[in-house]
Amino acid sequence: MRKKRRTTVASEALNTERASEAETASMATQIVKKFKLKTAANGPATATVLRSKTTSSQFVASRARDPTFEKLMDKYKNLLKVVAIQDLILANPTTNPPSVSLEFLNRLSQKLHLNRGAAAFLRKYPHIFHIFYDSSKSQPYCRLTEAAVEISRQEASVIAAATPLVVDRLVRLLSISVSKSLPLRAIFKVWRELGLPDDFEDSVISQNPHLFELYDAHEPNTHMLNLVNSNHSNNFCAAVENWRVVECCRENPSVDRTEIQFSFKHGYPPGMRLSKNFRAKVKEWQRIPYVGPYEELGEKKKSKSGRMGLEKRAVGFVHEFLSLTVEKMVEVEKISHFRKWFGIDLNIRDLFLDHPGMFYLSTKGKRHTVFLREAYERGCLIEPNPVYNVRRKLLNLVLMERRGLLAGDARLKDANGTQEDG
């Protein structure tokens, strides 16, 4: 099961770009809100909202950039490649230690976006990957270094220690589904983001039959994960409620106490000056009542206020989803698989772009990644958790690249033709 999960994750990582590009290409021209920056001469950026006819790709390109999140994604884009290769290595436990041939990785170099080939990329991160020659197979192989293996063990350990939290997270995810059930394949896509163990079918689902049940769906080769007792959702409060309570108790709240019941926390990059029109629209949107993600919707209203309430409910769903993730971030392509099951009729990506004070969408690394803006400060989680802390250790090894090597070791590897992968 562990090998299957690792292989599945690696395959999904390779297909992310194609899925994202296909979604963008298939979008029809539509009327949307465009969030746009206008920069005055020697003045700060100004945010305005206007209606225009634009394609989805133009809508993405017109978004306001946040330097802090863009810098963070610069770090993450190579980390994602490292994790994909790490999963391929760990998915091959037949060798001791687990390893894969460079020939195999070279065949995948285009899908993994290793622009200068597998060997050049691996040599760029000697703190994570070790290349060795297998004389029995007459070809070079790659395995993880002891430091990388130890980080992998630590991550598995902290996830195992947090089993009750993992169970609660999975119950909450099912609870915000309209039918209290989700396709297992959709959960597969976000198991890492949710901090689930890679054998969660056995260690979490099978071990809690009073909470979860698997059954065959109508579609071939599709299994559904169902919440046995849907009454659990009655005891849940959305993550935004915690902010509302704290904000309401503050001496000088950022939102009027009379309007905080349906408000969300908003924040914008330093130096961005918001127009009066934009501020007025945000203030008006904050007042709109809506049904929370753990509440039953009832009959949909076709009035304008009803449609706006549904849009805000959709925002509440994706806000809660991001709050459930370990790093408060997820690829848009992955969360899109939950749109139908959350009862969201809107385009997920446009939803993020329409609310730049709550979410930030980055396109670095040839993938669309959304961050929960309120969870971050200066590129780090405000409230880190053990899984996040361990994963940052791997990110630190990525950022080290070849720094910290012994001089002799560095000269040896340079003699072997070290190249950097851009």
Side-chain angles (χ1 to χ4, degrees):
M1 184 62 66
R2 188 178 300 270
K3 178 179 178 180
K4 178 182 178 182
R5 179 78 65 256
R6 293 284 183 183
T7 306
T8 301
V9 170
S11 299
E12 289 170 356
L14 303 182
N15 292 328
T16 298
E17 179 196 1
R18 286 182 294 175
S20 180
E21 289 176 347
E23 181 187 2
T24 302
S26 65
M27 285 293 297
T29 301
Q30 55 184 310
I31 302 296
V32 293
K33 291 178 182 177
K34 180 187 284 186
F35 187 72
K36 195 173 184 180
L37 281 180
K38 290 184 177 179
T39 306
N42 300 321
T46 302
T48 60
V49 175
L50 59 150
R51 292 280 181 175
S52 65
K53 196 170 185 180
T54 177
T55 62
S56 183
S57 58
Q58 291 170 338
F59 192 19
V60 171
S62 70
R63 76 195 187 285
R65 306 298 201 278
D66 188 320
T68 301
F69 284 107
E70 291 299 303
K71 185 177 179 180
L72 178 60
M73 273 309 299
D74 265 333
K75 300 175 182 177
Y76 265 98
K77 64 183 182 182
N78 282 331
L79 173 65
L80 295 173
K81 299 177 186 179
V82 166
V83 170
I85 297 174
Q86 175 184 268
D87 284 342
L88 289 171
I89 293 173
L90 295 177
N92 188 30
T94 54
T95 59
N96 187 21
S99 59
V100 294
S101 68
L102 263 64
E103 180 187 9
F104 172 71
L105 291 178
N106 277 325
R107 291 202 302 269
L108 298 175
S109 60
Q110 185 175 359
K111 293 181 179 179
L112 285 167
H113 308 300
L114 309 181
N115 301 332
R116 298 183 182 180
F121 184 82
L122 296 173
R123 291 193 184 105
K124 187 177 179 181
Y125 303 105
H127 296 284
I128 302 172
F129 302 114
H130 175 68
I131 301 175
F132 63 97
Y133 187 80
D134 189 332
S135 57
S136 64
K137 298 179 181 177
S138 301
Q139 60 177 319
Y141 273 70
C142 171
R143 63 172 174 81
L144 297 177
T145 62
E146 284 300 320
V149 170
E150 178 58 26
I151 291 174
S152 180
R153 288 172 183 158
Q154 288 180 17
E155 181 177 346
S157 177
V158 296
I159 289 175
T163 297
L165 183 61
V166 168
V167 171
D168 178 77
R169 200 175 289 143
L170 194 54
V171 169
R172 285 176 175 270
L173 184 65
L174 290 166
S175 295
I176 63 178
S177 167
V178 176
S179 62
K180 312 304 178 190
S181 59
L182 291 167
L184 198 58
R185 66 170 180 266
I187 300 174
F188 282 167
K189 290 182 177 295
V190 294
W191 72 276
R192 188 187 295 278
E193 286 81 354
L194 292 173
L196 302 179
D198 57 6
D199 63 342
F200 71 88
E201 287 177 84
D202 299 324
S203 61
V204 177
I205 296 175
S206 298
Q207 295 298 317
N208 294 278
H210 62 293
L211 295 174
F212 312 113
E213 64 175 353
L214 282 171
Y215 63 90
D216 292 331
H218 299 299
E219 301 176 26
N221 301 319
T222 302
H223 294 86
M224 298 293 295
L225 179 61
N226 184 57
L227 188 62
V228 173
N229 185 358
S230 60
N231 292 330
H232 289 286
S233 58
N234 298 331
N235 303 321
F236 291 142
C237 287
V240 68
E241 294 293 345
N242 298 326
W243 170 78
R244 289 169 182 164
V245 170
V246 172
E247 193 68 15
C248 193
C249 296
R250 288 179 56 189
E251 185 177 347
N252 297 307
S254 60
V255 181
D256 193 296
R257 288 187 176 89
T258 60
E259 302 172 356
I260 206 167
Q261 181 181 0
F262 301 112
S263 295
F264 287 84
K265 184 175 182 179
H266 282 65
Y268 301 91
M272 179 181 289
R273 188 179 64 198
L274 305 178
S275 68
K276 283 187 177 181
N277 182 48
F278 181 79
R279 288 182 182 277
K281 287 183 178 295
V282 170
K283 189 176 180 63
E284 179 185 357
W285 184 86
Q286 292 276 52
R287 295 171 179 162
I288 298 173
Y290 74 103
V291 180
Y294 296 110
E295 303 172 51
E296 295 296 330
L297 178 60
E299 185 179 354
K300 292 184 179 181
K301 298 179 181 179
K302 297 182 179 180
S303 62
K304 179 181 178 181
S305 61
R307 291 194 302 271
M308 294 177 72
L310 288 175
E311 189 264 354
K312 194 167 185 177
R313 176 175 165 86
V315 171
F317 271 114
V318 294
H319 182 281
E320 185 67 10
F321 185 97
L322 283 167
S323 298
L324 292 175
T325 62
V326 170
E327 298 173 85
K328 315 308 176 192
M329 57 180 280
V330 70
E331 290 175 30
V332 176
E333 183 268 334
K334 292 182 178 181
I335 194 174
S336 295
H337 288 272
F338 294 87
R339 188 171 67 91
K340 168 186 172 183
W341 305 97
F342 292 166
I344 299 176
D345 297 328
L346 306 168
N347 178 274
I348 291 286
R349 182 173 47 209
D350 289 352
L351 200 66
F352 295 135
L353 292 168
D354 281 342
H355 299 276
M358 296 172 60
F359 312 109
Y360 183 72
L361 182 70
S362 173
T363 59
K364 281 190 177 292
K366 298 186 177 180
R367 66 190 75 212
H368 292 177
T369 305
V370 64
F371 294 85
L372 184 61
R373 188 183 285 279
E374 68 192 64
Y376 280 84
E377 185 175 22
R378 296 181 180 179
C380 297
L381 277 187
I382 297 173
E383 298 179 1
N385 54 74
V387 179
Y388 169 83
N389 288 335
V390 172
R391 291 179 180 176
R392 290 289 292 199
K393 292 180 181 180
L394 184 61
L395 176 60
N396 290 337
L397 290 185
V398 171
L399 297 178
M400 284 179 68
E401 295 188 351
R402 297 186 53 77
R403 291 189 292 273
L405 293 178
L406 294 175
D409 186 36
R411 284 196 299 269
L412 175 61
K413 291 189 177 294
D414 286 339
N416 288 332
T418 302
Q419 300 176 27
E420 290 193 357
D421 179 48

